[in-house]
Amino acid sequence: MKFTIVPVFLLFKLICLTVVSSYGQINNKILERTWIAVDSRQEGNGGIFPIDGTLIRFKDGVAEVTFIGSDSVKSLGYKLRKNKIRLSGERPLGVVRHLSQDSLTILIGKHMVTLFKPTLDFKPMTSRGELVSLLTSSAWHQLFDNYKIRIDFLEEGWDFNEDPFRVGITHLESNHWYYKENERWAVSEFDGKYFISITHNQFDNYVYQIKKVTSSRIETELFTPTGYQPVTFELIERKKDGQLEELTQILTSQVWMMAELEYHHQFERETENEAEEQLDFHGWSGFSTRADSLLLKDEFINKEIAYQFLNDGGYRIIKGEEVLKKGKWSLSKDGKFIILDYETNPLNYLEIKELKNKELVVRQNVDLQLKRGETAFISYDTIIKFK
């Protein structure tokens, strides 16, 4: 299920509405349950402000309202009058298009149709704090259909005022395409039920209701406009301290010189027999506010640089005696990634494909600066072999 994140004050303003039924008497027995908004669509001309992700529980004359990721719940009185639901005396703002055991559809305002689905009856014995601790204890695999996505749930909060979401890094590899992105995630509890929400491209959010929790596995149901889809999260076992120390000793034992490089343009489709010379490095460029920290394209492509990982947690990228870049490094909890500088930036994750004495192979999404001092860059997916 996807939704757009709405500020709390706007959410409550939008949802404090009188709902007028267009099909007749509202069945209170069907209405009195917990609903979640799963899809908002524009109807006709005019903009909309989606309230997807809103949770409403109707019970005993009270409507409790919140949204995924929020710690705030607003209680509003409501009354049924034939074909109307009145919340706290607000003027009419919506029309019920449909109400049944498995869906509620409301036209809100003149242009937005919102579909609600009932939440499920799962109430696992856990707490929000326990779930956050479990998710941040190591990386996870998200399994659904034929996809397996790695997610690093980080403890650091998203950089917005009063934003309840934290930062997560997603990793997806499919058909020669390697995708990494920093996303927003949150754990929510409402009506004794627990939800995980994760964004896609930092905007659309998918909500999973938790069915069962163990120390290494979380079973969920994903809300969709057409129903529910089972999705499983499996813990990726973290390395023991001794194992991470052994990897650290190897990485800090030498200066790693680039020996071989395989790469392709992040915005071109790669085939298995694609030749390196077909890439002209001029197809797409972007603009970066962090251009001073980017590596120069020619130095990287020509394998003129080396990486040095230091025992004090620092690293240097060098060309001969010149230091091109420096910062801090660490290993991911499962020892699969070298993380440069800030773990909230997906470009800082170097996947360790192979590591042994005198040989290191990593995979990295990298932005390469076209010319020193300019802001234009090109993004590449690379496999780098160091010796």
Side-chain angles (χ1 to χ4, degrees):
M1 184 212 101
K2 60 181 182 179
F3 67 84
T4 303
I5 297 162
V6 181
V8 177
F9 72 94
L10 287 176
L11 170 68
F12 289 147
K13 184 175 181 181
L14 282 169
I15 204 62
C16 292
L17 50 83
T18 297
V19 182
V20 183
S21 174
S22 63
Y23 66 89
Q25 179 71 40
I26 296 175
N27 189 323
N28 192 36
K29 291 182 179 180
I30 296 178
L31 182 68
E32 289 212 340
R33 64 188 66 197
T34 301
W35 300 88
I36 184 168
V38 301
D39 189 48
S40 291
R41 299 184 182 277
Q42 180 173 315
E43 185 174 273
N45 298 322
I48 65 173
F49 205 124
I51 59 168
D52 301 8
T54 300
L55 286 155
I56 308 177
R57 181 174 70 161
F58 296 100
K59 185 177 182 181
D60 299 331
V62 176
E64 294 181 330
V65 184
T66 187
F67 69 95
I68 292 296
S70 174
D71 291 322
S72 178
V73 178
K74 191 176 184 69
S75 294
L76 304 166
Y78 82 91
K79 294 181 180 180
L80 294 177
R81 294 181 180 178
K82 293 185 178 180
N83 61 345
K84 297 181 180 180
I85 305 171
R86 182 171 294 278
L87 301 184
S88 296
E90 292 289 329
R91 63 187 178 88
L93 291 176
V95 177
V96 173
R97 291 277 184 85
H98 174 79
L99 174 62
S100 66
Q101 294 284 352
D102 60 3
S103 66
L104 167 65
T105 304
I106 303 175
L107 173 64
I108 298 176
K110 296 181 179 180
H111 304 293
M112 183 171 71
V113 178
T114 299
L115 171 67
F116 292 81
K117 303 290 286 186
T119 59
L120 302 170
D121 291 332
F122 308 120
K123 294 187 177 183
M125 296 298 294
T126 185
S127 71
R128 185 175 178 181
E130 290 174 349
L131 287 168
V132 171
S133 296
L134 180 60
L135 288 169
T136 57
S137 65
S138 188
W140 292 75
H141 279 140
Q142 182 190 55
L143 309 174
F144 64 98
D145 293 337
N146 295 320
Y147 290 97
K148 181 168 74 173
I149 301 175
R150 176 193 170 102
I151 304 177
D152 292 86
F153 294 97
L154 307 181
E155 296 184 24
E156 185 166 344
W158 196 263
D159 192 20
F160 290 102
N161 292 333
E162 300 182 2
D163 196 315
F165 286 80
R166 303 169 189 254
V167 179
I169 306 295
T170 58
H171 313 252
L172 173 62
E173 181 177 1
S174 177
N175 296 327
H176 308 286
W177 182 62
Y178 190 47
Y179 167 85
K180 288 190 294 186
E181 186 58 87
N182 52 340
E183 302 290 1
R184 303 150 63 109
W185 71 277
V187 172
S188 301
E189 183 274 331
F190 184 66
D191 190 26
K193 303 172 183 180
Y194 292 89
F195 307 87
I196 301 173
S197 55
I198 307 169
T199 62
H200 176 65
N201 291 329
Q202 304 174 9
F203 187 76
D204 292 332
N205 215 347
Y206 292 81
V207 178
Y208 310 80
Q209 184 173 342
I210 297 175
K211 294 194 299 184
K212 183 179 179 181
V213 181
T214 70
S215 60
S216 60
R217 185 181 177 92
I218 302 175
E219 297 178 11
T220 72
E221 291 286 337
L222 170 65
F223 291 99
T224 73
T226 58
Y228 311 92
Q229 180 178 359
V231 177
T232 300
F233 295 81
E234 290 186 349
L235 184 74
I236 300 174
E237 185 177 359
R238 60 185 296 165
K239 295 284 188 184
K240 297 179 180 179
D241 291 343
Q243 294 172 309
L244 291 176
E245 290 174 3
E246 182 179 350
L247 293 174
T248 299
Q249 289 176 0
I250 298 175
L251 287 170
T252 57
S253 65
Q254 67 180 77
V255 176
W256 298 94
M257 303 293 298
M258 289 182 65
E260 298 178 18
L261 177 65
E262 299 176 12
Y263 53 87
H264 72 269
H265 199 295
Q266 283 287 79
F267 294 87
E268 291 183 9
R269 184 173 181 85
E270 183 190 34
T271 60
E272 292 185 4
N273 61 353
E274 184 176 41
E276 180 176 315
E277 57 267 24
Q278 289 179 288
L279 302 178
D280 60 10
F281 306 106
H282 299 292
W284 180 91
S285 64
F287 296 91
S288 174
T289 58
R290 46 188 171 78
D292 290 342
S293 67
L294 296 179
L295 298 176
L296 193 62
K297 180 201 71 176
D298 291 339
E299 293 171 339
F300 191 91
I301 299 300
N302 294 332
K303 301 183 288 295
E304 298 174 355
I305 64 177
Y307 285 56
Q308 183 179 23
F309 302 101
L310 306 175
N311 284 311
D312 63 2
Y315 78 90
R316 302 192 307 165
I317 299 178
I318 57 179
K319 176 186 177 183
E321 298 296 323
E322 180 185 3
V323 178
L324 303 176
K325 185 179 179 182
K326 61 182 179 179
K328 297 180 180 179
W329 75 281
S330 62
L331 286 169
S332 62
K333 294 172 182 176
D334 63 343
K336 296 293 186 182
F337 288 84
I338 300 169
I339 303 172
L340 305 181
D341 302 313
Y342 303 104
E343 63 179 354
T344 54
N345 185 348
L347 293 178
N348 292 341
Y349 284 66
L350 283 65
E351 182 184 4
I352 300 175
K353 308 294 288 185
E354 186 175 353
L355 175 60
K356 57 186 179 182
N357 288 324
K358 308 301 181 183
E359 187 169 294
L360 168 65
V361 180
V362 302
R363 185 170 194 174
Q364 180 186 14
N365 291 147
V366 59
D367 285 348
L368 299 178
Q369 191 174 352
L370 299 181
K371 294 182 180 180
R372 191 74 71 199
E374 294 186 358
T375 57
F377 68 91
I378 297 181
S379 297
Y380 296 98
D381 177 22
T382 65
I383 300 289
I384 312 169
K385 184 174 183 179
F386 297 93
K387 289 187 176 180

